[in-house]
Amino acid sequence: MSATRYTYLGPEGTFTEAALRTLPEAATRELVPMVSVPAALDAVRNGEAAAALVPIENSVEGGVTATLDELASGEPLMIYREVLLPIAFALLVRPGTKLSEIKTVTGHPVAQPQVRNWLRAHLPEAVWESAASNADGARLVREGRFDAAFAGEFAAATYGLDALVTEIHDAENAETRFVLVGRPARPAAPTGADKTSVVLWLGDDHPGALLELLQEFAVRGVNLMLIQSRPTGAGIGNYCFAVDAEGHISDRRVGEALMGLKRICPKVRFLGSYPRAGVSVEDVSALRRGTSDVEFMEASDWLTRAQDGRA
């Protein structure tokens, strides 16, 4: 395995590359762009790279399905870190292009919902066609296949384009969450401001099946930050659920919730416990009464005494 190589969703000039370069260790790693999320993750699975940075959630469009599906299937991988990156687009064009001349535009499919209103207001007749990534859209503009691309302003220099309009976003404070993914290993020690990600499969379809999963978290005071259903491929109505929960697997409330889920789910895939980006211990809400590690241990001690006739 190449311990110094990180892959990412390419080509050069993507928001994913910009997010990766915010990590301190990126300065000492070989950063290799890949054509897709599956390709970036497969490079980790087969030992060509130590880790991959891929997008997993957008504050406008929600979960990035390609990443969620890849993490739910295939050889297991683990999330070790997350990165939050503010997202604003620039309209990149070949030098000399005027706004009135733009008839075709491109960008990553996740970009379209973030610029839809701007397009409607400024380029209502322009035809949109998706690209593999925003940076790939910029490459296609350079090659003359489209008139303009929505990408990061930083991609303009890479592809010899001009940023005709900058700071384009329909939603203020839009951001994308990226995750650094590697091969499974022991999670890092808890920080007090952590997140745990899992994928859960329902045993069978019956009234309250999803509620049973959620109750395993609720009764232990574990707050959920994301839950998204994804088809398993086994037929209509067969779904698994990607879940992000507050806390670390070593926290008693989280660990016991996962044990409860393991008892009732035919399959549980642990995707990692890792520090929450941009959140300090001081920002974390106080635990509800009865959900701290101390209270779990006190309850366990009480049960032992009761079993010994000393309760």
Side-chain angles (χ1 to χ4, degrees):
M1 176 183 293
S2 176
T4 61
R5 180 178 299 149
Y6 282 4
T7 57
Y8 66 91
L9 176 61
E12 294 181 26
T14 58
F15 285 110
T16 309
E17 181 188 11
L20 179 55
R21 292 189 180 279
T22 68
L23 299 180
E25 63 266 34
T28 60
R29 301 295 192 272
E30 178 190 2
L31 308 184
V32 181
M34 305 298 284
V35 297
S36 64
V37 167
L41 296 178
D42 282 345
V44 178
R45 288 186 169 111
N46 62 31
E48 295 177 10
L53 193 83
V54 291
I56 195 169
E57 182 184 5
N58 178 268
S59 61
V60 176
E61 187 68 356
V64 178
T65 56
T67 300
L68 293 173
D69 292 346
E70 277 297 310
L71 292 178
S73 61
E75 186 180 343
L77 295 169
M78 184 175 290
I79 299 171
Y80 288 94
R81 184 179 296 183
E82 65 177 9
V83 178
L84 296 179
L85 186 73
I87 301 295
F89 294 91
L91 188 68
L92 304 187
V93 299
R94 291 182 294 279
T97 302
K98 299 177 181 178
L99 193 65
S100 60
E101 299 172 337
I102 296 175
K103 306 302 180 185
T104 57
V105 296
T106 188
H108 191 275
V110 175
Q112 188 178 21
Q114 302 178 65
V115 300
R116 185 181 294 122
N117 293 336
W118 189 93
L119 265 175
R120 186 182 298 118
H122 298 89
L123 293 170
E125 302 301 323
V127 176
W128 171 285
E129 186 174 329
S130 294
S133 68
N134 297 310
D136 192 55
R139 178 185 63 81
L140 295 173
V141 171
R142 181 185 64 186
E143 295 176 357
R145 294 177 57 182
F146 295 94
D147 297 326
F150 287 96
E153 184 177 358
F154 46 80
T158 301
Y159 294 96
L161 303 176
D162 288 344
L164 186 61
V165 185
T166 61
E167 293 298 317
I168 301 173
H169 45 69
D170 290 348
E172 294 290 336
N173 303 317
E175 59 185 3
T176 294
R177 182 166 70 100
F178 302 84
V179 288
L180 187 69
V181 179
R183 295 180 67 83
R186 180 182 293 273
T191 67
D194 301 292
K195 178 183 294 185
T196 293
S197 298
V198 294
V199 183
L200 310 171
W201 279 258
L202 290 176
D204 58 84
D205 186 17
H206 62 271
L210 178 57
L211 177 61
E212 291 172 2
L213 303 187
L214 299 179
Q215 284 177 330
E216 295 294 332
F217 294 106
V219 298
R220 296 173 177 88
V222 178
N223 186 44
L224 298 188
M225 309 176 71
L226 177 146
I227 178 167
Q228 180 159 336
S229 62
R230 295 298 303 148
T232 63
I236 296 295
N238 288 277
Y239 291 90
C240 61
F241 296 87
V243 175
D244 287 346
E246 285 185 333
H248 193 279
I249 191 172
S250 65
D251 297 334
R252 292 289 291 270
R253 65 188 184 281
V254 177
E256 290 202 10
L258 296 183
M259 285 193 293
L261 290 163
K262 183 61 179 174
R263 290 196 301 270
I264 64 175
C265 295
K267 183 178 178 182
V268 176
R269 175 167 285 196
F270 173 65
L271 295 182
S273 290
Y274 47 93
R276 293 171 58 187
V279 177
S280 66
V281 175
E282 291 74 20
D283 298 325
V284 177
S285 300
L287 295 177
R288 293 175 53 195
R289 181 180 179 276
T291 64
S292 70
D293 280 6
V294 170
E295 289 162 313
F296 269 95
M297 288 186 288
E298 289 176 346
S300 179
D301 290 343
W302 175 87
L303 179 63
T304 299
R305 293 196 304 274
Q307 292 170 332
D308 291 342
R310 299 181 291 109

